[in-house]
């Protein structure tokens, strides 16, 4: 289990000077990678020792209260589920008074670099002793219907969107998604929950098509590459 103090620095804030959605997901990703590094199951180790890469398959986050620039929050991160081919890692952030700032649940699996097939996670160093016997956070992953939604825009994956696995970084997809909103929309209609399902990978120079549909109290979005869905996203208000 990882417990750490996290200062909200300026690059994590939005137009109101508080922790932004992108900043929140950066904290989530950093906490997960730091925990995995401490357990010697991180992405670099997986690549060098096991010929594998870790991929996120789902992440859902719920936001409870604001965290100001320069404020410190307490971040806890732990493995809450281990199965044959996946694991869940939960992240909880609280302020100095014990109030929850956000919670998140992420599902991960390992891909063989050569075959691009899903590996048993026991083959990349994961074992049951890493499971923290804490109550999993109360977040359920959504079920997405295949909805016909209008095309909003096309974006091209650039070099700064690419991570060490040479595919588009998870947070970059969220950046593409949030850029479909204006500043006024994000300020006037605060987001309470976000879920992203990662279905396929994309790479440098790929052209991605973003589709968006507005429904009661939520938006649904997809990011497609040609005829394949790369990302599905639910944004709840």
């Amino acid at each position: 289990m990882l417990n750490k103090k996290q200062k909200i620095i300026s690059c994590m804030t939005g137009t109101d000077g508080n922790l932004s959605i992108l900043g929140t997901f950066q904290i989530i990703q950093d906490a997960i990678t730091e925990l995995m590094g401490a357990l010697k199951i991180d992405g670099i180790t997986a690549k060098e020792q096991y010929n594998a890469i870790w991929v996120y398959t789902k992440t859902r986050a719920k936001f409870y209260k604001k965290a100001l620039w320069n404020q410190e929050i307490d971040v806890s991160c732990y493995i809450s589920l281990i199965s044959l081919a996946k694991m869940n890692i939960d992240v909880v952030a609280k302020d100095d008074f014990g109030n929850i700032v956000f919670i998140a649940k992420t599902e991960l699996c390992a891909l063989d670099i050569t075959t691009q097939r899903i590996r048993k996670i026991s083959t990349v160093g994961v074992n049951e002793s890493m499971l923290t016997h804490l109550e999993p956070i109360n977040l359920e992953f959504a079920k997405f219907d295949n909805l016909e939604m209008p095309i909003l825009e096309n974006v091209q994956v650039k070099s700064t969107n690419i991570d060490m696995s040479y595919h588009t970084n998870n947070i970059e997809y969220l950046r593409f998604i949030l850029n479909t909103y204006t500043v006024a929309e994000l300020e006037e209609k605060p987001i309470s929950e976000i879920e992203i399902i990662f279905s396929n990978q994309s790479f440098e120079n790929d052209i991605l098509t973003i589709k968006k549909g507005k429904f009661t109290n939520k938006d649904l979005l997809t990011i497609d590459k040609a005829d394949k869905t790369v990302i599905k996203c639910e944004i709840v208000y």
Side-chain angles (χ1 to χ4, degrees):
M1 181 172 179
L2 171 73
N3 292 297
K4 61 182 289 190
K5 288 280 189 182
Q6 174 73 60
K7 180 174 280 193
I8 308 304
I9 58 177
S10 59
C11 66
M12 297 176 178
T13 61
T15 55
D16 62 355
N18 292 297
L19 179 63
S20 67
I21 299 294
L22 274 178
T24 300
F25 273 77
Q26 186 65 63
I27 291 172
I28 294 166
Q29 180 168 282
D30 288 346
I32 290 172
T33 53
E34 189 173 341
L35 171 66
M36 294 175 72
L39 295 173
K40 307 297 185 189
I41 56 170
D42 55 274
I44 292 175
T45 301
K47 189 174 184 179
E48 292 179 349
Q49 295 190 15
Y50 304 112
N51 191 46
I53 60 171
W54 284 104
V55 293
Y56 289 20
T57 49
K58 299 175 184 176
T59 294
R60 189 171 189 93
K62 185 172 183 177
F63 315 103
Y64 288 87
K65 68 186 305 289
K66 294 180 178 181
L68 294 168
W69 165 75
N70 222 25
Q71 178 181 350
E72 277 195 339
I73 57 176
D74 295 306
V75 177
S76 300
C77 180
Y78 55 93
I79 297 174
S80 61
L81 181 146
I82 293 176
S83 66
L84 186 67
K86 66 182 181 182
M87 66 178 176
N88 288 352
I89 299 182
D90 295 353
V91 179
V92 180
K94 297 181 179 180
D95 64 16
D96 286 340
F97 301 99
N99 300 309
I100 294 176
V101 176
F102 67 81
I103 59 176
K105 183 182 293 292
T106 297
E107 180 184 280
L108 305 91
C109 69
L111 291 183
D112 187 275
I113 292 174
T114 304
T115 66
Q116 289 294 294
R117 293 180 178 175
I118 295 175
R119 294 263 294 268
K120 293 180 180 179
I121 61 173
S122 60
T123 68
V124 292
V126 178
N127 61 72
E128 288 290 331
S129 70
M130 298 175 180
L131 184 64
T132 302
H133 296 287
L134 296 175
E135 187 71 23
I137 63 171
N138 187 24
L139 270 183
E140 296 295 330
F141 291 122
K143 295 181 186 282
F144 288 85
D145 296 324
N146 291 321
L147 300 172
E148 290 297 325
M149 297 182 294
I151 294 175
L152 196 62
E153 63 181 4
N154 293 321
V155 296
Q156 186 174 18
V157 179
K158 299 292 189 177
S159 59
T160 57
N161 305 131
I162 301 300
D163 62 19
M164 67 179 185
S165 297
Y166 289 92
H167 63 200
T168 307
N169 185 269
N170 301 326
I171 291 176
E172 296 304 303
Y173 291 118
L174 183 58
R175 190 185 305 276
F176 295 153
I177 287 166
L178 292 177
N179 279 340
T180 68
Y181 296 87
T182 65
V183 170
E185 287 173 326
L186 292 173
E187 290 182 338
E188 293 168 5
K189 206 171 180 182
I191 295 169
S192 65
E193 292 187 53
I194 292 182
E195 178 168 338
I196 303 179
I197 295 177
F198 304 91
S199 301
N200 286 288
Q201 300 178 75
S202 67
F203 305 91
E204 187 177 6
N205 295 321
D206 281 347
I207 302 297
L208 305 179
T209 300
I210 303 177
K211 299 177 182 178
K212 181 197 276 187
K214 293 185 174 293
F215 304 87
T216 304
N217 88 324
K218 68 180 179 182
D219 295 343
L220 297 179
L221 300 96
T222 61
I223 297 180
D224 300 334
K225 182 175 73 172
D227 60 345
K228 289 185 177 180
T229 296
V230 177
I231 293 294
K232 293 181 181 180
C233 177
E234 178 184 71
I235 293 181
V236 181
Y237 300 105

